[in-house]
Amino acid sequence: MAENFEQHSDVSATDLARLTQEAQAEATPSTAKIIWSEFKADKPAMAALFIIVGFILFVMIGALFINTPKMMETNIMAYFNQPFTADFWLGADSGGRSVAKQLIVGSRNSIGIAIGLTIISSTFGICWGLISGYFNGYIDWGMQRVYDFMMMLPMTMMIIVLVTIIPHYNSVTLTLIFSIFYWEGTSRLIRSRTLAESEKDYVAASKTSGTSNWKIIFREIMPNISSLIIVDCTLSFAENIGVETGLSYLGFGLPAQTPSLGTMIANANDPNNITQYWWTWLPAALEIIILCLSISYIGQVLRRAADASQRQGAAD
Amino acid sequence: MSLVEIKDLKVHYPIRTGFWNRITDSVRAVDGITFNIEAGETYGLVGESGSGKSTTGKSVVGLEKVTSGSILYKGVDITKKANRSRLDYNRDVQMIFQDSLSSLNPRKRIEDIIAEPLRNFEHLSKDEEKLRVLQLLDIVGLDADALYKYPHQFSGGQRQRIGVARAVATNPKLIIADEPVSALDLSVQAQVLNFMKKIQREFGISYLFISHDLGVVRHMCNNIAIMNRGRLVEIGTRDDIYNHPLHIYTKRLLAAIPETNVNQRMAHRASRLAVEKIYQEQQSKYYDENGEAFPLIQVSPTHSVALPETIAKQLASQEGEVQA
């Protein structure tokens, strides 16, 4: 059979290396390169990328050097200490605890939960949506009824109840509790695109080429909706920072001894703090605004990179 | 024995209505068709859009769930999935799609696209596989630098040739060509068709050529089946169909071929109107009371038509007299 091809083609094994080289010279740049050139073309997004990466690295590493239980001890002598002093860069709160240190550890906790939650819930939501949309029929029907049931549950109420029931919870259990509920939006979004995508001819072509269903789902369809997945992940990351922050603000998030962005913003509940002691809540609020803005800039670049007609970067 | 024998193939889609979403009726996309494809020949399947020809093609390649009937390949009914995977059926039967852009995965490089059937069916080494892909590109007239490009970087004709290369990668015995050139402009159509003919000569492949373009079908096919409303209305050789059409539907299709001779414009118009008039007046003669085609009746060793026996004989003899 191989002879058959050799007979009718001028290409033979001796040309292989030369032709491969020729092809590589003409190769189209990879997706990573396209994304990078897109970042280079958009200066605010580049700045946003550095802020995000730098900040996450800073709080992750910085938090390792802070002794949290000791930091959280009440120090009456430092009651609402003014900011910009040698011991308290950003002042102290009503318990005399350093705002700057709380901010570092709190950001680590909040961002850690947001990243963990995004990874778990998006992975699950994407798989659920892809499988449901691709197989269609009874499988889709069953999976969508599970989805409908989950949507019916009042999410915030359930989380508050679960948090109250579980005796000793920390950021890991909190992440897991959140991820029970936060896969739903992603799964519906992915399913709707998968339904459209699996009708296309390239899926039929893969079937006639003998490719298995799982390979078609994750190697053929998933790359084609990757732009949607990337944008959804960045947006849900920004949203997930808000989820933890919001619950901690209400007092149902992390336990009181664990600082987080939410517990720090909760300082603003006190009118005194708002008018006089602005340093207790303003840094955390500013941080959330900057983080979410930066993430949305990065999301825009990724979306543009995925769609050739919107690109601003250098042509390939 | 024929390469593929299709017997009384039916593909029905349920129509669900009402509060309980019960099946109340069905769309009979393909409604009992029978024909054989011989090794090495090009079998044309012609009909208007919605006549079920693409559904037939998809059933033969195994993409469509068949309601009833059988498709025999090597004596095995391949409408069952287990039989298909046991035979490695798609190694021998491949498909060329109409829309060349959507049939190539936009996120994969050409090398991966063409190598896909090879990876699933042949398990070659990396170098052998790359060599085979390069040979295939060479056979369809593309350069080696296409290897690491993406489908959108090619023109329509080039993309369709990539589709052809993927279809012949495993050296199949039958290729279903579902309107392979209807999305291309005329000069490119000829180019792709000639490539397909060249490959057929060199590799001894059979085609099931699905088209609504009778000019293209005349160029490509030895045997032709005309399909209307899910049924076959006429089967014959190229000569039978083009020179001695019996069924009114075939005559209408032939009358619809555009003529470029402007001097004869009035004459062509008159003949078209005549065919249309016969169709309007004598519909009841050609279709049964439900508006469906009759079972096929053989009028010569190669020629069958879907008409009641008496009318078929009468028309055949008339046709003979006109010829004589």
Side-chain angles (χ1 to χ4, degrees):
Chain A
M1 201 188 116
E3 307 84 68
N4 207 342
F5 283 98
E6 239 138 72
Q7 217 178 324
H8 297 294
S9 158
D10 302 328
V11 180
S12 65
T14 47
D15 305 322
L16 189 61
R18 181 178 57 80
L19 289 174
T20 310
Q21 214 166 23
E22 261 175 44
Q24 245 137 21
E26 292 284 324
T28 319
S30 65
T31 320
K33 269 190 192 151
I34 290 170
I35 292 176
W36 181 240
S37 72
E38 207 46 46
F39 269 115
K40 279 200 285 195
D42 190 346
K43 292 286 174 269
M46 189 67 131
L49 183 70
F50 277 113
I51 290 174
I52 291 274
V53 174
F55 188 78
I56 290 178
L57 284 177
F58 171 68
V59 296
M60 290 292 167
I61 295 165
L64 295 176
F65 295 101
I66 294 171
N67 184 347
T68 312
K70 188 160 177 291
M71 177 192 83
M72 293 306 287
E73 278 168 10
T74 309
N75 176 8
I76 206 74
M77 300 306 290
Y79 175 78
F80 284 128
N81 210 322
Q82 288 287 325
F84 313 122
T85 55
D87 280 347
F88 300 98
W89 303 331
L90 289 173
D93 64 5
S94 60
R97 298 179 286 249
S98 166
V99 171
K101 283 181 185 171
Q102 278 192 66
L103 198 64
I104 291 173
V105 178
S107 304
R108 197 263 320 258
N109 288 340
S110 293
I111 292 175
I113 289 177
I115 291 177
L117 177 53
T118 309
I119 290 173
I120 297 175
S121 67
S122 293
T123 310
F124 190 74
I126 289 165
C127 292
W128 194 270
L130 279 169
I131 293 168
S132 179
Y134 177 77
F135 284 111
N136 233 324
Y138 289 114
I139 294 176
D140 184 36
W141 188 87
M143 290 176 87
Q144 288 313 302
R145 294 300 80 74
V146 174
Y147 164 87
D148 288 342
F149 174 75
M150 294 299 288
M151 279 302 277
M152 184 201 75
L153 302 173
M155 189 156 56
T156 319
M157 292 287 290
M158 292 284 290
I159 290 172
I160 289 173
V161 169
L162 284 174
V163 164
T164 331
I165 293 171
I166 296 173
H168 301 290
Y169 68 95
N170 51 24
S171 44
V172 177
T173 38
L174 194 68
T175 310
L176 292 177
I177 292 172
F178 284 145
S179 13
I180 298 174
F181 298 98
Y182 277 88
W183 57 271
E184 294 154 356
T186 311
S187 92
R188 251 297 156 73
L189 187 70
I190 299 295
R191 173 181 172 265
S192 65
R193 266 296 287 280
T194 311
L195 280 175
E197 209 68 26
S198 54
E199 290 301 311
K200 288 196 179 161
D201 277 346
Y202 72 82
V203 176
S206 280
K207 281 181 189 162
T208 61
S209 302
T211 311
S212 70
N213 281 334
W214 295 107
K215 231 175 170 182
I216 291 177
I217 293 175
F218 292 106
R219 301 287 292 280
E220 306 274 331
I221 295 179
M222 201 166 85
N224 276 292
I225 57 174
S226 60
S227 61
L228 186 73
I229 291 175
I230 290 169
V231 173
D232 184 64
C233 281
T234 48
L235 290 181
S236 56
F237 177 61
E239 188 195 323
N240 290 343
I241 293 179
V243 168
E244 187 280 326
T245 313
L247 257 124
S248 299
Y249 175 80
L250 292 173
F252 295 103
L254 288 168
Q257 283 310 302
T258 316
S260 82
L261 293 177
T263 55
M264 299 194 70
I265 292 176
N267 284 331
N269 276 340
D270 187 341
N272 260 346
N273 284 353
I274 291 194
T275 49
Q276 295 173 37
Y277 310 118
W278 51 267
W279 58 86
T280 53
W281 53 272
L282 192 62
L286 283 178
E287 188 196 318
I288 288 178
I289 292 173
I290 290 170
L291 276 184
C292 290
L293 264 181
S294 304
I295 290 168
S296 99
Y297 267 111
I298 292 172
Q300 275 179 21
V301 164
L302 295 177
R303 198 195 63 224
R304 280 207 302 271
D307 182 352
S309 63
Q310 294 184 21
R311 269 178 215 158
Q312 299 175 348
D316 33 78
Chain B
M1 199 178 85
S2 304
L3 183 66
V4 172
E5 297 173 23
I6 297 161
K7 279 185 193 154
D8 200 28
L9 180 75
K10 288 183 184 170
V11 181
H12 293 182
Y13 299 110
I15 300 174
R16 292 169 186 276
T17 48
F19 184 73
W20 299 108
N21 223 12
R22 277 175 310 191
I23 300 169
T24 50
D25 202 357
S26 58
V27 177
R28 283 169 286 183
V30 178
D31 197 20
I33 64 171
T34 304
F35 64 94
N36 298 335
I37 302 169
E38 307 295 332
E41 75 160 3
T42 305
Y43 199 96
L45 195 56
V46 187
E48 64 190 5
S49 71
S51 59
K53 50 193 196 310
S54 286
T55 312
T56 309
K58 282 183 176 167
S59 312
V60 174
V61 81
L63 285 171
E64 200 76 48
K65 209 164 166 282
V66 171
T67 311
S68 71
S70 64
I71 300 168
L72 296 183
Y73 174 74
K74 291 185 179 167
V76 182
D77 183 7
I78 56 86
T79 56
K80 294 184 188 70
K81 200 173 179 194
N83 286 345
R84 281 205 299 275
S85 49
R86 192 162 52 82
L87 276 179
D88 262 359
Y89 177 65
N90 283 124
R91 184 178 179 162
D92 290 345
V93 178
Q94 274 287 335
M95 185 154 178
I96 301 171
F97 294 86
Q98 174 179 14
D99 184 350
S100 59
L101 184 57
S102 86
S103 72
L104 305 175
N105 188 338
R107 286 302 170 110
K108 278 166 75 177
R109 295 176 189 273
I110 301 305
E111 187 198 12
D112 298 318
I113 289 174
I114 297 180
E116 192 180 351
L118 294 174
R119 283 172 192 163
N120 287 319
F121 293 121
E122 304 224 342
H123 313 292
L124 303 169
S125 75
K126 270 237 152 67
D127 277 353
E128 281 173 340
E129 180 191 290
K130 189 171 273 174
L131 180 63
R132 180 74 71 82
V133 172
L134 284 167
Q135 286 171 342
L136 284 162
L137 283 173
D138 183 55
I139 287 168
V140 297
L142 289 168
D143 287 334
D145 43 307
L147 208 57
Y148 297 118
K149 285 183 175 166
Y150 288 96
H152 68 87
Q153 291 169 297
F154 295 90
S155 71
Q158 286 173 323
R159 275 201 294 266
Q160 196 57 287
R161 270 148 49 192
I162 292 167
V164 173
R166 171 174 61 189
V168 295
T170 53
N171 205 353
K173 301 205 169 55
L174 172 67
I175 292 181
I176 316 294
D178 186 359
E179 310 210 21
V181 295
S182 64
L184 306 173
D185 53 23
L186 280 172
S187 56
V188 184
Q189 275 190 11
Q191 187 191 25
V192 171
L193 289 174
N194 287 335
F195 266 113
M196 287 177 67
K197 275 197 140 176
K198 178 183 148 216
I199 288 165
Q200 180 171 41
R201 271 201 307 278
E202 290 173 356
F203 296 94
I205 295 170
S206 314
Y207 288 117
L208 174 59
F209 196 92
I210 298 168
S211 181
H212 57 253
D213 187 336
L214 281 159
V216 168
V217 170
R218 186 173 209 165
H219 177 70
M220 292 293 289
C221 306
N222 327 88
N223 287 307
I224 296 165
I226 310 281
M227 212 168 163
N228 183 212
R229 298 177 196 172
R231 293 192 178 180
L232 294 179
V233 293
E234 198 159 356
I235 293 182
T237 60
R238 180 166 31 188
D239 178 58
D240 289 332
I241 298 289
Y242 281 89
N243 300 330
H244 312 289
L246 293 179
H247 201 278
I248 187 65
Y249 184 71
T250 316
K251 288 178 184 164
R252 290 180 79 207
L253 278 182
L254 290 172
I257 300 175
E259 289 283 346
T260 46
N261 188 350
V262 284
N263 296 330
Q264 302 276 312
R265 189 164 51 196
M266 292 316 287
H268 290 311
R269 186 176 150 77
S271 69
R272 274 203 292 276
L273 286 175
V275 170
E276 186 60 19
K277 199 175 166 215
I278 296 174
Y279 173 70
Q280 295 296 348
E281 284 170 1
Q282 306 184 5
Q283 254 191 62
S284 57
K285 203 165 105 187
Y286 289 98
Y287 296 97
D288 66 14
E289 58 272 20
N290 298 325
E292 284 169 353
F294 291 102
L296 285 171
I297 297 285
Q298 201 165 48
V299 291
S300 82
T302 55
H303 196 176
S304 303
V305 65
L307 285 175
E309 197 150 0
T310 48
I311 303 176
K313 288 267 158 62
Q314 185 197 339
L315 278 175
S317 61
Q318 269 180 18
E319 191 70 29
E321 281 161 28
V322 173
Q323 289 300 312

